[in-house]
Amino acid sequence: MGDGTTVSNLPEEILSNVFSAVSDTRTRNSLSLVCRSFFRLERKTRISLTLRGNARDLHLIPTSFTHVTHLDLSFLSPWGHALFCSSATTTFDPRLLALRLRDAFPRVTSLAVYARDPATLQLLLLSPWPELSSVKLVRWHQRPPTSPAGSDFAVLFSQCRSLASFDLSSFYHWPEDLPPVLAANPDTAASLRRLNLLTTSFTEGFKSHEIESITASCPNLEHFLVACTFDPRYIGFVGDDTLVAIPSNCPKLKLLHLADTSSFSNRREDGGFGGEDGRISRATLVTLFSGLPLLEELVLDVCKNVRDSSLALEVLGSKCPNLRVLKLGQFQGICLALGSKLDGVALCHGLHSLSVGNCADLDDMGLIEIARGCSRLVSFELQGCKLVTEQGLRTMACLLRRTMIDVKVSGCANLDTAATLRALEPIRDRIERLHVDCVWNGLKESDGLGHGFLNFGLNGLDELDDGGELMDYFGGGECENTSKRKRQRCKYEMGVHDSFLESNDNGLYGKCWDRLRYLSLWIKVGDLLTPLPVAGLEDCPNLEEILIKVEGDSRGQPKPAEREFGLSILACYPQLLKMQLDCGDTKGYALTAPSGQMDLSLWERFFLNGIGSLSLNELHYWPPQDEDVNQRSVSLPAAGLLRECYTLRKLFIHGTAHEHFMDFFLKTPNLRDVQLREDYYPAPENDMSTEMRVASCSRFEDALNRRRICD
C-alpha cells in the first residue's frame, strides 16, 4: 500500500478469521513461512492435523501445534504396523512416546488411530485427553486370535466417559465383541451420540439381537450406521422385530443407515422381482418412520425385495419433515405414477439427495413424478433400474435443472454411456459431480455422435398440447392401453414446469461441461477407455479429479487388441490433477498364467500405458489381485510406468511392492509423499512375499526425504 501498510498490520482478530478459512494444507504451510506473526497465527488457527511420517520419529514431534483438536495417527509409516510396538520404535520407551503425543497435542477432542492390537489404545490412554469425545479406530488386518473378546474397546470405554462419537467403519473386528463392552459401561454408552458400525469386512454383519442390544445400551444415539443381513436364510437376520425396536430404543435418531453386507460387493445386475423377499412388512416400515420424527438421513439398503412400499414412503414424507437424504435398495413400488396425484417417495418434498437401487418397476413416468415432487433434489443416484430410459432421465434433468448438480447412473440396462450423457444435456453446464458406467455398445473412438432425436428444443414442449402426443413419445404402443386419466396427467406435468425447461436460443444445449469437477467411471476389464470423449465428455475444462474403477475377471479374457487401456485420452482435460485408478476388483494370475492368457503384470502394463502423458499431482492406485494367494502387488511394468508421471507429488499404492521397484519412484523429480497401504480385507499378516518390510520402508523414506524438492 502507498502508506506502507501491509496485510500484517491488520488486527489479529481479522487475520485469525482469514487463516481459519484456509483449508489447503500446503497453503497454510506457506502462510506460516511469511513471518513470525503469521507462523503463530497459523498454528493457533490450525485445528486439524494428519501425521505423515515414520513412527520411529515420534520423539521429534514439534510442540507448536497445541491448538489442534482433530488428530489423525492412522497414516503413520510403516503403514499398518502397531503404533508403539513396531521395531521402528524399540529405541524409545513406548510409554514415553505416548506421553509425548499427549503433551504435543493437549487439546485433542477427535482422534483417529491404526490400532492393530489393544496395546495401542492402552498406551495412548495412559493419560487420556480430558476432552476426547470422538474416536475412529482403523485396522485392516485380522483380529489377533489371542485377544480376549472386547479387549479392543474395553480401555477406551472405561477411560473416556464422555465419548460422543465412535467409528468402526474401517476396523476389522468381530460383531460379538462390542455389545458386552457397551453393556458393561452404561455411562459411556449413554453418552454416545454417533456410532458407525458400517464395517465392510463383515460377511454377515451384526445380528438382530446384537443390534437390539446396542440400541438399548445407547438410548441417546443420533447417528447410527450398521452393517447387517436382511437375508431370511441366515440366523439373526434383520426383520420386523429389529426395525420396530430401533425407534423404541433410540427415538432421537437423525441419521439411520442399515446396509446388507452384500451391498458392499458392487453387484451390477439388472433389477428384477426375482430372488428372496425381505421379511419387512409395510406396517413395520410405518412404525419405524413414525417413531423417528427427527430423521434427516435414511439409508435402507436391503438387497432383498421390499414390496408395495409406496404407502410407507408417504408416511415417511409426512412423519419426518426434516428428511433430506434418502437411499433405498431393492424397494419396489416406490412411486406408482397413477393419475395426476403424487404418491410414494414423490411426497418426500424436502429431499436434497435421493438414491434408488434395483427398483424393478420404476419407469420413466415414475422418474418424472419423483422430479415433480422432489423439486429440491441436488443429488440423484439411479442404480440397476432396467425400465428407465433416456427419455425419462432427460425429462427429469429438465425438471430439476435449477438444483441438480450431482448425478450417478449405473447398471441400468437402457442407459449406456452415450445415452446417459445425452439425457443429461439439460444440466451439462451445471453438473459438478458425475458417475457413469463405461458401456459403449459398439461405440468406437472414431465414431462421431450427432444430435439424436432427443436433442430437441424444450421450448417446443409447449407445442405438445395433446397428452397423447407425449405418451406416444414415451412409448406409444404401451400408452394407448392406459387410461385417459394417465394421458391427462402427462399433459399436465409437461405444461406446468415450462419454467424449468430452459434451453439456449437455438433450442439446443451446449456440449461443454463447464462446472464438472469430479468424474467417476466404472469399466469392465478388457474394455477400452478411448471412446469416452466421443460418447459426450470431450469438453470438461474444469475437471480436477477422476476415479476409474476397473472390475472383472481377467482369467479367460482374450488379449486386448490395443496396446493401451486409454489413459492418454484424459490429456484432453487440462485441469486434471488427481486420479484414483482402482483395479482392486480385477482378478487374475499373479504368477505364471496358462498358455494364451496374460498374467497380472501384463494387465498392469495395459492399464497404465499412457499415464505419463497426464499432468497429475496426486495418484491413488489399487493393483489387481490374485485371490488364490491374497496378493495385490505392483509389478515391474507398473512401477516403470508410474515412474513416468513426472509431475506427481503424492503417490499412494493400495497394495504391496518390492523395495527395488519402489526405488524407481526416487527418479520422479517432484514426488514428495509415497506410501504403501494394504487397506483391504484381509491385509497380509506379514510382508514375506515382498521386500517392503519395516526396514525397507524406512530406507525408502529416508532416500525420498534426502532429495531436494524444487518448491
Side-chain angles (χ1 to χ4, degrees):
M1 300 181 184
D3 57 357
T5 304
T6 65
V7 67
S8 59
N9 297 119
L10 291 173
E12 184 172 317
E13 292 77 9
I14 296 177
L15 282 177
S16 296
N17 292 332
V18 173
F19 278 47
S20 299
V22 178
S23 57
D24 181 67
T25 302
R26 292 196 68 199
T27 304
R28 294 190 68 97
N29 291 342
S30 300
L31 284 172
S32 68
L33 298 176
V34 173
C35 59
R36 290 185 181 273
S37 62
F38 275 33
F39 174 83
R40 289 193 298 269
L41 273 177
E42 195 282 325
R43 294 297 188 260
K44 184 178 180 180
T45 57
R46 185 180 293 219
I47 61 173
S48 178
L49 185 67
T50 299
L51 286 186
R52 276 287 294 114
N54 201 294
R56 65 181 178 176
D57 299 325
L58 281 176
H59 64 287
L60 300 176
I61 291 177
T63 57
S64 57
F65 296 96
T66 56
H67 291 269
V68 166
T69 58
H70 298 74
L71 180 63
D72 191 344
L73 303 175
S74 63
F75 294 111
L76 284 171
S77 295
W79 187 91
H81 289 266
L83 180 59
F84 300 114
C85 302
S86 169
S87 59
T89 60
T90 52
T91 312
F92 300 92
D93 187 342
R95 291 172 296 181
L96 293 178
L97 289 176
L99 292 174
R100 171 73 174 173
L101 273 173
R102 168 70 174 75
D103 293 338
F105 308 102
R107 292 183 171 88
V108 169
T109 61
S110 176
L111 175 69
V113 61
Y114 198 101
R116 185 154 178 180
D117 55 50
T120 300
L121 277 181
Q122 291 172 5
L123 290 167
L124 272 177
L125 299 177
L126 281 174
S127 176
W129 285 277
E131 299 179 6
L132 184 63
S133 60
S134 177
V135 173
K136 178 178 181 178
L137 300 184
V138 181
R139 181 172 69 197
W140 297 85
H141 294 81
Q142 294 190 23
R143 176 184 183 273
T146 57
S147 297
S151 58
D152 290 313
F153 321 121
V155 174
L156 177 64
F157 278 80
S158 62
Q159 296 283 350
C160 302
R161 300 295 179 128
S162 59
L163 189 66
S165 177
F166 191 38
D167 188 345
L168 295 177
S169 59
S170 299
F171 189 75
Y172 192 111
H173 64 287
W174 293 348
E176 57 267 28
D177 286 349
L178 184 60
V181 176
L182 291 173
N185 298 272
D187 294 340
T188 307
S191 70
L192 278 176
R193 298 295 185 271
R194 302 177 180 224
L195 183 59
N196 189 342
L197 305 177
L198 206 64
T199 312
T200 55
S201 63
F202 291 151
T203 55
E204 298 181 16
F206 285 85
K207 293 181 170 53
S208 56
H209 67 274
E210 292 167 342
I211 294 176
E212 293 172 21
S213 173
I214 290 170
T215 53
S217 299
C218 308
N220 296 311
L221 281 181
E222 297 177 358
H223 291 193
F224 183 46
L225 303 89
V226 63
C228 55
T229 180
F230 291 92
D231 193 335
R233 297 173 297 177
Y234 286 83
I235 297 175
F237 74 92
V238 172
D240 289 341
D241 293 342
T242 306
L243 293 182
V244 169
I246 290 175
S248 175
N249 293 335
C250 303
K252 300 177 183 178
L253 280 177
K254 297 180 180 179
L255 183 151
L256 177 61
H257 191 147
L258 301 175
D260 191 283
T261 53
S262 61
S263 67
F264 303 145
S265 61
N266 295 316
R267 299 175 305 166
R268 270 175 167 71
E269 303 171 357
D270 288 340
F273 287 115
E276 295 279 341
D277 287 353
R279 299 285 178 85
I280 301 175
S281 66
R282 181 192 300 174
T284 295
L285 290 176
V286 170
T287 303
L288 174 67
F289 302 152
S290 301
L292 298 174
L294 303 179
L295 208 57
E296 298 175 1
E297 181 172 341
L298 174 64
V299 176
L300 293 175
D301 207 345
V302 179
C303 295
K304 296 294 172 185
N305 289 321
V306 180
R307 301 181 185 272
D308 303 322
S309 59
S310 176
L311 179 61
L313 294 174
E314 293 178 11
V315 173
L316 174 65
S318 62
K319 297 294 185 181
C320 304
N322 298 323
L323 189 67
R324 297 293 178 265
V325 180
L326 177 62
K327 180 175 181 179
L328 302 172
Q330 215 154 326
F331 275 61
Q332 313 300 339
I334 64 171
C335 188
L336 301 179
L338 298 175
S340 60
K341 186 178 179 181
L342 299 176
D343 68 274
V345 72
L347 291 176
C348 297
H349 300 299
L351 285 181
H352 291 173
S353 175
L354 175 63
S355 174
V356 179
N358 297 313
C359 182
D361 54 4
L362 180 66
D363 58 9
D364 289 345
M365 302 314 300
L367 208 61
I368 295 170
E369 190 152 313
I370 290 173
R372 288 178 54 213
C374 306
S375 58
R376 302 177 185 176
L377 278 184
V378 174
S379 174
F380 180 66
E381 177 181 356
L382 190 69
Q383 191 263 327
C385 298
K386 65 179 182 180
L387 297 184
V388 175
T389 68
E390 182 180 343
Q391 297 99 311
L393 183 60
R394 183 184 180 95
T395 308
M396 183 185 200
C398 294
L399 295 173
L400 296 174
R401 173 170 164 77
R402 292 182 177 177
T403 60
M404 195 156 62
I405 60 173
D406 185 352
V407 179
K408 180 176 181 180
V409 180
S410 62
C412 298
N414 294 317
L415 291 171
D416 61 15
T417 312
T420 302
L421 297 177
R422 286 196 302 267
L424 296 177
E425 279 184 355
I427 56 174
R428 267 186 179 175
D429 59 338
R430 297 175 181 265
I431 196 166
E432 298 178 6
R433 296 175 65 88
L434 173 66
H435 170 89
V436 292
D437 287 354
C438 294
V439 180
W440 308 124
N441 284 340
L443 183 67
K444 299 179 181 178
E445 183 181 8
S446 57
D447 294 339
L449 291 182
H451 290 287
F453 78 99
L454 287 175
N455 293 326
F456 55 83
L458 288 174
N459 291 330
L461 280 177
D462 292 332
E463 300 173 4
L464 295 176
D465 54 359
D466 177 27
E469 285 187 56
L470 186 62
M471 293 309 296
D472 290 340
Y473 174 72
F474 282 101
E478 176 184 352
C479 294
E480 286 179 4
N481 297 324
T482 57
S483 64
K484 182 178 180 181
R485 180 177 58 179
K486 189 170 182 180
R487 292 174 179 266
Q488 292 172 341
R489 180 181 68 80
C490 295
K491 174 183 175 182
Y492 165 77
E493 69 187 15
M494 298 305 292
V496 67
H497 287 279
D498 283 343
S499 59
F500 287 93
L501 310 184
E502 302 169 352
S503 64
N504 297 331
D505 293 338
N506 60 3
L508 298 176
Y509 294 96
K511 281 183 168 291
C512 183
W513 302 77
D514 293 315
R515 300 185 185 179
L516 187 64
R517 299 288 191 274
Y518 175 87
L519 176 63
S520 172
L521 304 171
W522 175 92
I523 188 167
K524 183 181 177 182
V525 64
D527 288 350
L528 300 177
L529 194 63
T530 47
L532 184 64
V534 178
L537 281 169
E538 68 275 17
D539 192 0
C540 305
N542 296 305
L543 183 64
E544 299 173 351
E545 183 174 357
I546 188 168
L547 164 63
I548 303 173
K549 185 171 182 63
V550 186
E551 188 174 347
D553 196 337
S554 68
R555 296 169 293 191
Q557 287 274 354
K559 183 178 179 180
E562 302 292 334
R563 179 174 174 268
E564 64 177 75
F565 172 53
L567 290 183
S568 58
I569 61 106
L570 302 179
C572 67
Y573 305 133
Q575 301 298 323
L576 185 62
L577 296 176
K578 298 181 180 180
M579 176 187 287
Q580 299 178 57
L581 181 57
D582 186 355
C583 303
D585 286 327
T586 299
K587 303 174 180 62
Y589 299 103
L591 306 176
T592 305
S595 177
Q597 298 193 31
M598 302 196 326
D599 61 26
L600 289 182
S601 66
L602 296 179
W603 277 107
E604 284 193 280
R605 185 198 300 269
F606 169 72
F607 292 139
L608 292 170
N609 253 326
I611 196 171
S613 63
L614 307 180
S615 300
L616 296 176
N617 181 277
E618 181 176 330
L619 174 64
H620 288 255
Y621 175 58
W622 285 259
Q625 63 168 313
D626 187 334
E627 288 182 319
D628 296 335
V629 295
N630 190 30
Q631 183 174 339
R632 308 187 191 205
S633 182
V634 173
S635 63
L636 175 60
L641 291 166
L642 289 173
R643 178 211 169 232
E644 295 178 0
C645 299
Y646 295 111
T647 58
L648 272 186
R649 286 190 62 87
K650 297 181 180 182
L651 174 61
F652 302 109
I653 297 174
H654 300 261
T656 61
H658 291 277
E659 182 177 2
H660 55 284
F661 292 172
M662 296 293 290
D663 289 341
F664 286 15
F665 305 137
L666 297 176
K667 299 179 181 179
T668 304
N670 292 314
L671 196 59
R672 189 69 185 89
D673 193 0
V674 183
Q675 191 170 42
L676 295 178
R677 299 175 183 172
E678 299 166 349
D679 49 358
Y680 51 88
Y681 294 108
E685 287 301 315
N686 55 62
D687 293 328
M688 297 306 292
S689 61
T690 70
E691 297 178 9
M692 285 305 291
R693 303 181 183 92
V694 172
S696 307
C697 180
S698 300
R699 285 194 298 269
F700 171 76
E701 290 181 348
D702 289 342
L704 188 70
N705 293 330
R706 280 196 300 266
R707 300 179 315 143
R708 182 179 180 84
I709 305 297
C710 60
D711 59 348

